């Protein structure tokens, strides 16, 4: 897939730790892009396709020690492969925009920085599975893990396996996201997620328009 093809859709990803408000911001952005007349596919990881959602259930529920970081990594990329093949690539090819709640940087942060899987191995698998379907823009929703975990735990749902991994794990993965964003400043924006929903949404939109200036002509 040629990322420079003007007819190809654009691929935007929200990333961040637990309870950072990604899903709320994703919904607002998707609505705004649709108002601009774009076809937008709103999706998430792990999941986003029926096969990948089945893997999600195995990954996000149960005891923290149920899977090693290596097992998690391979399952995350198995799910990602199916999601790419059946949802993301067909959408981008027909000109739709794809907005995903998490993607491969969550594997780098959670299984790599947090879980200790070697970065070189993650990059080898990523090169084979994601290949040139890399996101055009990654919005990292950043906040202290203490605050994010408190918010996530207040939701009280059953998808809490990663939340239960402890504060040190969550501090490492936050650093992982920030280091990745630092290394690739042209494709990444770090947003302070510890603000009002409206303030963050305004910065999300400004970041998206800055990355895709043609959008302004549509609005
Ligand atoms: P969510 O709570 O944001 O829907 O994400 C589900 C959990 O899966 C979250 O705790 C982060 C974790 N995760 C990984 O550990 N690695 C990955 O590659 C992805 C996509 C998610």
């Amino acid at each position: 897939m040629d990322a420079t093809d003007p007819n190809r859709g654009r691929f935007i990803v929200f990333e961040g730790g637990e309870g950072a408000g990604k899903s709320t911001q994703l919904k607002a952005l998707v609505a705004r892009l649709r108002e601009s007349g774009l076809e937008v596919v709103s999706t998430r990881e792990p999941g986003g396709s029926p096969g990948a959602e089945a893997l999600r259930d195995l990954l996000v529920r149960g005891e923290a020690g149920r899977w090693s970081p290596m097992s998690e990594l391979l399952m995350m990329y198995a799910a990602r492969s199916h999601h790419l093949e059946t949802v993301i690539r067909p959408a981008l090819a027909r000109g739709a925009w794809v907005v995903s709640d998490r993607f491969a940087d969550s594997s780098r942060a959670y299984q790599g920085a947090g879980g200790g899987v070697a970065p070189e191995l993650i990059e080898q698998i990523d090169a084979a599975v994601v290949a040139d379907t890399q996101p055009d823009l990654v919005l990292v929703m950043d906040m202290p893990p203490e605050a994010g975990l408190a918010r996530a735990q207040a939701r009280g749902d059953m998808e809490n396996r990663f939340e239960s991994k402890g504060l040190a794990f969550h501090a490492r993965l936050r650093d992982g996201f920030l280091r990745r964003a630092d290394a690739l400043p042209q494709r990444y924006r770090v947003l302070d997620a510890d603000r009002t929903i409206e303030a963050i949404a305004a910065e999300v939109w400004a970041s998206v328009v800055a990355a895709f200036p043609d959008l302004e002509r549509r609005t």
Side-chain angles (χ1 to χ4, degrees):
M1 191 176 304
D2 179 3
T4 59
D5 175 356
N7 298 318
R8 171 188 173 275
R10 298 293 164 210
F11 184 16
I12 302 173
V13 174
F14 281 87
E15 292 281 10
E18 307 295 321
K22 287 178 289 89
S23 310
T24 306
Q25 293 300 328
L26 180 142
K27 278 194 203 111
L29 175 63
V30 167
R32 199 145 181 193
L33 290 171
R34 285 184 179 146
E35 280 165 23
S36 312
L38 293 166
E39 182 195 349
V40 184
V41 173
S42 170
T43 189
R44 70 170 181 179
E45 288 209 345
S49 62
E53 288 287 333
L55 285 165
R56 177 188 177 94
D57 272 347
L58 292 172
L59 280 158
V60 300
R61 292 164 189 266
E63 295 298 310
R66 180 180 184 193
W67 308 106
S68 68
M70 178 64 86
S71 299
E72 288 168 1
L73 180 78
L74 297 171
M75 289 165 72
M76 291 289 177
Y77 271 94
R80 184 161 300 132
S81 183
H82 192 261
H83 187 206
L84 281 159
E85 288 161 7
T86 61
V87 176
I88 298 177
R89 288 193 185 113
L92 294 173
R94 70 175 181 266
W97 287 41
V98 175
V99 185
S100 187
D101 189 340
R102 299 191 183 280
F103 190 63
D105 290 321
S106 282
S107 298
R108 293 184 174 97
Y110 280 75
Q111 283 67 53
V117 177
E120 302 74 33
L121 175 67
I122 300 179
E123 295 316 323
Q124 279 177 348
I125 296 174
D126 196 83
V129 174
V130 180
D132 63 357
T133 317
Q134 299 292 334
D136 298 297
L137 177 65
V138 180
L139 300 163
V140 178
M141 310 292 290
D142 180 59
M143 71 189 299
E146 295 86 344
L149 280 172
R151 273 207 223 169
Q153 276 152 10
R155 279 202 295 258
D157 63 22
M158 295 300 289
E159 293 197 338
N160 57 6
R161 188 173 155 261
F162 287 96
E163 285 164 31
S164 67
K165 286 197 181 216
L167 198 53
F169 172 84
H170 290 276
R172 286 198 301 277
L173 71 87
R174 180 194 195 189
D175 284 350
F177 279 127
L178 295 178
R179 267 186 276 122
R180 173 95 180 149
D182 248 13
L184 295 164
Q186 67 286 9
R187 279 201 286 139
Y188 286 69
R189 296 284 172 279
V190 177
L191 283 77
D192 174 2
D194 209 358
R195 293 178 294 161
T196 64
I197 290 174
E198 294 73 25
I200 302 166
E203 198 183 343
V204 166
W205 184 247
S207 304
V208 170
V209 170
F212 311 107
D214 284 359
L215 265 181
E216 231 158 10
R217 256 175 269 141
R218 308 176 66 107
T219 48

